[in-house]
């Protein structure tokens, strides 16, 4: 096959990958459910965190502040924004303090207001009570509130609807100016928006944020007002956007570096294309395998980690390209390299098999992605790529790295370096391990909030708005568990007076629970029993109307509603579906596996241990979701570490099976093991607390180190092969080092952790592979 035809087939391969990538991209369902990367929960707090991660009442709130204009202008914009957003189906609640939030109570639920309101707990609908209420309504009709009250009067002379709407406002509502909420300084109009989607559903939150910003642009007109938007959902959008921007920029720069280095290293514009084809094939194959094997979608973390880990595959074609020489066809070259390359691939894939039995779906996805990706890239390098490589002809100068004077000079310099003996690197390993373990400070980082790239100023702004609005704390929740919804609602009603007292003494700033909106069936029936019959109500109402200026037939709708409420079945959770109340209750009342859990969201908590003791006396439990997340991270890390320990044993066994020599096995495994310990020691010496992403980076660095050491061992004492291997390892390590050094400069903590760890690991692996795995050149070949 002539060179133009080879190039044509390479371009056809690339075109095929682009087509397949487009098809996979269209059908690929990315999941953002963090529960896929968590182990089985053990404690009640962990179970709640796993089951409701991103779905709780605090995580679905977006907090909005309008500023930069006069209060009257901001109030008008607040009302305009609320009106637009309340009509959008993705929002369960849009509240700004206006109109008592009557929209919270749909028209079809209003006849049942007497079952939901506490009025009947302390009062009967007799002539005296109704007479007093009608007298108050006469005064109300002469007040500025007449426009709000008059439409309700005929069906609701006691204004139960308004009382309920006001009672259902956020527990610690801020002050009102111009009819809407403002901060204490009176300079910012405030809104609370609750999304129906979970706080960590990135696509839904992005849509919600875009909708809010677009509505604000329409509401602000030509004014100079500004919108501030905070909350878990807004932060997830910000994090996702920043990560995409940085990853896109770094990825573009990395690609240019990859192309430049390979073009210079092989003096061929085809080299980057040939080296990139197996890598791209492996990535698409891994992605397709996960998409087919897991019905719930591919997790975004799997994709990110998977493409990072199969970065090892870029070394496969580089080794093949560096070993081309005159008199040896690419097919013969790949056959001679295959035992070494295949050993590295098999060892890495066998190690990742341990993740398949980890019991964590995210790790299982990662294992499938990596194993299929590495295997595909290796097979493409072995059985397809040689057909596209132009054989080296005798008259081509400079194609064989063994003929490079500069490379020979470098090898001579490296050959003068003393080779590290087993006793010395054994001592180094012990010293590195002791350094890593004995350095002061925490070894592991369990606090996920420290991995967030959200600026401290934005977090402080969120805390400020949360305090102004009395929004619930996203860390602490009270949980009451029971056999069914009715039992937990009754327990909540018993706990409510206790919480009221705690708020009065300042232990909590506010609270919210499902029983505020949906009383237990028992309480609803008790209120029904206190409703008068039709005849009794007519007598009491006639007596009250006779003492008022109202007409005798003015309240027919009222008597009809009371009759309907008296005969109605108690309202249930199902009756609230599709209403703002349903969204509120759904976030506070959970039903799983034949059990029910009522949640109490809190704000302004000052003494968690004291509150925990007090609520425990009433059968409830204070849950610390931060502590639960940290314990889950610790459990997850333990699962990963056990998997890695087993993987290390399998990897060593694979190398032993391939090499069958204790000395060779030690020379191959020692650089990788010593590098891992040295990187840990350096990170700990710099005061870095290790997290999951450091572990993933160490796995990648170990795979690269195994590759370098195996090929130096493959070169044996043949000086020409040593030079070709040195060329390949320099190209591999240089491309990897530059790529991950860029990641180490990222402002995203996750990318920075991976980048810095791998870059350090590559440098150590290269040096140690040269000092440990290389053999002295045979004198006869020099």
């Amino acid at each position: 096959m002539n060179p133009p035809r080879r190039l044509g087939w390479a371009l056809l391969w690339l075109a095929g990958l682009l087509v397949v990538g487009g098809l996979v991209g269209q059908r690929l369902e990315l999941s953002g459910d963090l529960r896929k990367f968590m182990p089985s929960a053990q404690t009640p707090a962990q179970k709640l965190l796993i089951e409701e991660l991103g779905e709780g009442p605090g995580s679905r709130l977006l907090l909005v502040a309008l500023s930069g204009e006069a209060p009257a202008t901001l109030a008008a914009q607040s009302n305009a924004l609320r009106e637009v957003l309340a009509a959008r189906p993705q929002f369960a609640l849009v509240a700004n303090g206006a109109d008592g939030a009557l929209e919270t109570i749909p028209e079809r639920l209003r006849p049942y207001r007497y079952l939901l309101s506490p009025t009947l707990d302390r009062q009967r609908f007799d002539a005296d009570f109704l007479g007093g209420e009608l007298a108050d309504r006469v005064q109300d009709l002469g007040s500025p509130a007449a426009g709000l009250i008059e439409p309700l009067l005929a069906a609701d002379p006691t204004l139960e609807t308004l009382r309920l709407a006001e009672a259902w406002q956020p527990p610690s509502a801020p002050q009102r100016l111009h009819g809407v909420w403002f901060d204490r300084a009176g300079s910012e109009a405030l809104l609370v928006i609750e999304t129906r989607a979970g706080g960590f559903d990135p696509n839904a939150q992005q849509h919600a944020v875009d909708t809010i910003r677009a509505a604000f642009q329409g509401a602000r007109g030509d004014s100079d007002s500004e919108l501030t938007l905070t909350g878990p959902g807004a932060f997830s959008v910000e994090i996702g956007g920043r990560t995409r921007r940085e990853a896109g920029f770094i990825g573009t720069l990395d690609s240019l570096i990859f192309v430049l280095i390979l073009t210079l290293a092989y003096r061929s514009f085809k080299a980057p294309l040939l080296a990139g084809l197996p890598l791209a094939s492996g990535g698409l194959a891994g992605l397709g395998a996960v998409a087919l094997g897991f019905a719930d979608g591919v997790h975004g973390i799997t994709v990110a980690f998977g493409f990072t880990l199969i970065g090892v595959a870029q070394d496969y074609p580089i080794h093949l390209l560096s070993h081309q020489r005159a008199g040896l066809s690419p097919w013969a070259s790949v056959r001679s390299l295959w035992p070494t390359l295949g050993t590295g691939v098999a060892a890495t894939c066998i190690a990742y098999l341990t993740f398949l039995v980890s019991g964590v779906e995210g790790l299982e996805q990662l294992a499938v992605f990596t194993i299929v990706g590495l295997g595909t890239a290796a097979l493409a390098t072995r059985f397809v790529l040689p057909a596209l490589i132009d054989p080296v002809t005798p008259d081509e100068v400079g194609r064989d790295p063994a003929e490079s004077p500069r490379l020979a000079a470098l090898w001579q310099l490296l050959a003068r370096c003393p080779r590290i003996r087993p006793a010395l690197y054994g001592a180094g390993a012990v010293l590195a391990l002791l350094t890593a373990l004995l350095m002061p400070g925490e070894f592991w980082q369990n606090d996920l909030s420290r991995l967030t790239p959200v600026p401290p100023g934005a977090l402080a702004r969120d805390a400020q708005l949360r305090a102004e609005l009395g929004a619930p704390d996203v860390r602490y929740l009270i949980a009451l568990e029971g056999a069914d919804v009715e039992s937990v609602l009754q327990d909540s009603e018993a706990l409510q007076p206790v919480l009221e007292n705690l708020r009065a003494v300042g232990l909590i700033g506010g609270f919210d629970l499902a029983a505020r909106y949906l009383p237990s069936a028992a309480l609803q029936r008790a209120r029904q029993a206190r409703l008068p019959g039709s005849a009794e109500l007519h007598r009491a109402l006639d007596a009250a109307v006779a003492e008022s200026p109202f007409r005798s037939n003015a309240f027919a709708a009222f008597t009809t509603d009371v009759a309907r409420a008296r005969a109605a079945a108690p309202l249930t959770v199902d009756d609230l579906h599709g209403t703002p109340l349903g969204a509120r209750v759904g976030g506070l009342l959970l039903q799983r596996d034949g059990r029910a859990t009522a949640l109490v969201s809190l704000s302004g908590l000052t003494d968690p241990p004291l509150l925990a003791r007090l609520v425990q006396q009433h059968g409830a439990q204070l849950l610390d979701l931060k502590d639960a997340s940290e314990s889950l991270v610790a459990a997850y890390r333990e699962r990963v570490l056990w998997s890695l320990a087993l993987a290390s044993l399998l990897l060593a066994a694979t190398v032993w099976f391939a090499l069958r020599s204790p000395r060779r096995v030690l020379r191959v495994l020692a650089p990788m093991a010593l590098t891992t310990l040295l990187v840990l020691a350096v990170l700990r010496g710099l005061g870095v607390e290790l997290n999951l992403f450091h572990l993933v980076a160490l796995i990648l660095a170990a795979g690269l180190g195994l590759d370098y050491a195996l090929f130096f061992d493959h070169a044996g004492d043949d000086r020409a092969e040593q030079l070709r291997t040195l060329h390949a390892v320099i190209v591999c390590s240089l491309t990897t080092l530059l790529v991950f050094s860029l990641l180490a400069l990222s402002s995203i903590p996750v990318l920075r952790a991976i980048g810095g760890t791998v870059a350090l690991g590559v440098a150590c692996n290269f040096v140690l592979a040269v000092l440990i795995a290389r053999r002295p050149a045979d004198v006869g070949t020099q």
Side-chain angles (χ1 to χ4, degrees):
M1 188 187 300
N2 56 40
R5 291 190 64 186
R6 292 190 186 94
L7 178 60
W9 282 109
L11 293 175
L12 184 61
W13 186 357
L14 177 62
L17 291 176
L18 292 174
V19 172
V20 173
L23 294 175
V24 171
Q26 289 178 357
R27 300 188 179 186
L28 183 66
E29 292 187 13
L30 284 178
S31 168
D33 190 352
L34 291 176
R35 291 172 291 189
K36 293 183 184 296
F37 270 85
M38 293 293 181
S40 301
Q42 302 299 324
T43 68
Q46 288 179 350
K47 291 177 181 177
L48 178 65
L49 184 69
I50 289 292
E51 292 175 358
E52 298 301 320
L53 185 64
E55 301 290 341
S59 69
R60 290 186 282 120
L61 287 185
L62 295 171
L63 312 180
V64 176
L66 307 181
S67 59
E69 282 286 355
T73 302
L74 296 176
Q77 293 177 358
S78 174
N79 281 324
L81 188 61
R82 182 182 67 87
E83 184 177 352
V84 172
L85 297 179
R88 300 297 176 91
Q90 69 258 48
F91 301 114
L93 171 69
V94 182
N96 70 343
D99 299 336
L102 278 177
E103 68 277 3
T104 305
I105 311 174
E107 188 67 36
R108 66 181 177 84
L109 296 182
R110 292 187 184 181
Y112 307 101
R113 56 192 175 272
Y114 303 109
L115 306 185
L116 308 180
S117 170
T119 298
L120 287 168
D121 297 343
R122 56 184 181 272
Q123 180 64 57
R124 301 192 73 90
F125 281 3
D126 54 25
D128 290 340
F129 173 71
L130 294 175
E133 289 294 309
L134 292 183
D136 291 341
R137 298 299 84 78
V138 172
Q139 294 182 2
D140 291 338
L141 290 174
S143 72
L148 174 63
I149 291 173
E150 188 170 0
L152 300 173
L153 190 57
D156 193 5
T158 65
L159 296 187
E160 297 301 326
T161 307
L162 275 182
R163 289 193 179 101
L164 278 176
E166 290 174 355
W168 289 343
Q169 288 294 288
S172 301
Q175 68 166 329
R176 282 192 180 93
L177 295 177
H178 304 284
V180 301
W181 289 331
F182 270 79
D183 65 343
R184 283 186 290 270
S187 60
E188 293 184 327
L190 307 176
L191 298 92
V192 174
I193 300 173
E194 183 179 348
T195 62
R196 295 190 188 278
F200 297 101
D201 181 340
N203 294 329
Q205 290 298 324
Q206 179 71 64
H207 183 48
V209 168
D210 291 343
T211 301
I212 293 170
R213 295 193 183 281
F216 171 68
Q217 290 301 320
R220 74 190 291 261
D222 297 329
S223 71
D224 295 326
S225 59
E226 297 179 355
L227 177 140
T228 299
L229 186 60
T230 72
F235 289 154
S236 71
V237 171
E238 169 66 17
I239 292 169
R242 286 184 58 193
T243 303
R244 283 191 297 272
R245 288 192 298 271
E246 289 205 17
F249 172 76
I250 293 173
T252 301
L253 199 55
D254 288 346
S255 300
L256 293 176
I257 290 172
F258 180 79
V259 171
L260 179 61
I261 290 178
L262 265 66
T263 301
L264 293 175
Y266 300 107
R267 301 177 187 179
S268 168
F269 72 92
K270 293 171 60 176
L273 173 63
L274 296 176
L277 289 173
L279 177 62
S281 300
L284 280 177
L287 200 58
V290 178
L292 291 174
F294 296 87
D296 295 337
V298 183
H299 201 286
I301 294 177
T302 300
V303 176
F305 282 2
F307 274 109
T308 299
L309 294 175
I310 67 167
V312 177
Q314 76 174 10
D315 293 2
Y316 304 159
I318 289 175
H319 283 291
L320 178 56
L321 292 172
S322 290
H323 281 79
Q324 298 307 299
R325 61 186 183 274
L328 187 70
S329 73
W331 289 107
S333 179
V334 79
R335 280 194 296 272
S336 69
L337 292 174
W338 182 246
T340 302
L341 192 152
T343 298
V345 174
T348 305
C349 290
I350 289 172
Y352 277 104
L353 284 175
T354 59
F355 281 3
L356 290 176
V357 294
S358 65
V360 179
E361 184 177 334
L363 291 180
E364 294 168 0
Q365 288 191 6
L366 186 58
V368 171
F369 192 115
T370 306
I371 292 170
V372 173
L374 289 179
T376 301
L379 292 173
T381 302
R382 170 63 179 87
F383 295 106
V384 182
L385 191 61
L388 307 181
I389 297 176
D390 298 331
V392 180
T393 59
D395 59 340
E396 289 186 90
V397 179
R399 283 285 300 274
D400 186 355
E403 300 172 357
S404 169
R406 293 180 181 177
L407 203 61
L410 176 60
W411 185 250
Q412 285 296 108
L413 179 63
L414 294 174
R416 294 192 187 102
C417 297
R419 297 179 73 248
I420 301 178
R421 301 298 179 183
L424 185 58
Y425 56 72
V430 172
L431 181 61
L433 181 60
L434 291 176
T435 301
L437 294 176
L438 299 180
M439 285 300 295
E442 294 292 332
F443 192 93
W444 296 111
Q445 183 184 89
N446 294 329
D447 187 357
L448 294 178
S449 66
R450 294 178 60 183
L451 294 177
T452 176
V454 179
L459 293 174
R461 180 69 162 137
D462 178 73
Q464 176 199 353
L465 292 182
R466 199 167 287 277
E468 293 281 1
L469 285 159
D473 193 320
V474 295
R475 174 174 179 176
Y476 291 105
L477 287 170
I478 296 174
L480 301 103
E481 292 194 77
D484 51 34
V485 169
E486 176 66 11
S487 64
V488 295
L489 284 176
Q490 290 184 25
D491 291 341
S492 299
E493 290 162 353
L495 183 63
Q496 190 166 353
V498 177
L499 296 175
E500 294 285 3
N501 291 334
L502 296 177
R503 178 165 58 181
V505 300
L507 183 60
I508 58 176
F511 66 91
D512 200 14
L513 71 174
R516 289 183 65 212
Y517 313 102
L518 180 66
S520 65
L523 183 55
Q524 292 183 56
R525 291 191 186 97
R527 290 169 179 171
Q528 273 183 319
R530 295 179 66 86
L531 283 170
S534 296
E536 182 183 355
L537 179 61
H538 277 291
R539 287 194 298 271
L541 186 59
D542 288 343
V545 169
E547 301 295 327
S548 75
F550 295 107
R551 298 192 305 272
S552 59
N553 62 347
F555 302 106
F558 169 58
T559 58
T560 300
D561 279 358
V562 170
R564 289 178 62 186
R566 196 167 187 271
L571 287 174
T572 66
V573 175
D574 292 339
D575 295 325
L576 302 181
H577 283 170
T579 71
L581 278 180
R584 290 193 186 185
V585 171
L588 294 166
L589 195 59
L590 314 177
Q591 300 180 67
R592 293 284 188 278
D593 302 325
R595 301 280 295 174
T597 302
L599 303 179
V600 181
S601 63
L602 302 167
S603 61
L605 176 57
T606 59
D607 191 342
L610 177 58
L611 180 63
R613 291 194 297 271
L614 292 175
V615 299
Q616 191 173 17
Q617 297 172 6
H618 294 80
Q621 184 176 5
L622 179 67
L623 305 181
D624 183 346
L625 297 187
K626 180 177 182 292
D627 179 70
S629 70
E630 292 180 356
S631 61
L632 269 176
V633 168
Y636 177 61
R637 182 178 58 246
E638 181 179 352
R639 194 75 64 91
V640 172
L641 289 173
W642 277 110
S643 296
L644 290 180
L646 180 57
S648 301
L649 294 176
L650 292 175
L651 185 147
T654 305
V655 173
W656 173 271
F657 180 80
L659 302 182
R660 306 292 180 90
S661 165
R663 180 173 294 181
R664 292 180 67 192
V665 170
L666 184 61
R667 278 203 307 262
V668 167
L669 295 181
M672 176 183 67
L674 186 54
T675 289
T676 301
L677 293 175
L678 286 175
V679 172
L680 286 174
V682 171
L683 291 175
R684 294 293 300 124
L686 294 174
V688 176
E689 296 177 9
L690 305 181
N691 57 51
L692 169 66
F693 306 105
H694 291 108
L695 289 179
V696 171
L698 285 171
I699 299 171
L700 174 55
L704 294 168
L706 177 65
D707 175 69
Y708 301 164
L710 277 170
F711 275 91
F712 273 122
D713 177 80
H714 165 81
D717 56 6
D718 186 320
R719 185 173 182 275
E721 279 298 293
Q722 289 176 340
L723 290 177
R724 295 181 188 108
T725 297
L726 178 62
H727 182 271
V729 172
I730 287 176
V731 175
C732 292
S733 58
L734 189 58
T735 54
T736 306
L737 183 63
L738 290 176
V739 164
F740 284 93
S741 294
L742 287 174
L743 280 181
L745 300 176
S746 171
S747 67
I748 309 296
V750 171
L751 299 181
R752 194 163 59 243
I754 294 175
T757 305
V758 174
L760 184 59
V762 167
C764 290
N765 271 315
F766 176 81
V767 172
L768 291 174
V770 170
L771 297 179
I772 297 176
R774 68 172 172 85
R775 297 192 210 175
D778 181 67
V779 176
T781 64
Q782 295 187 29

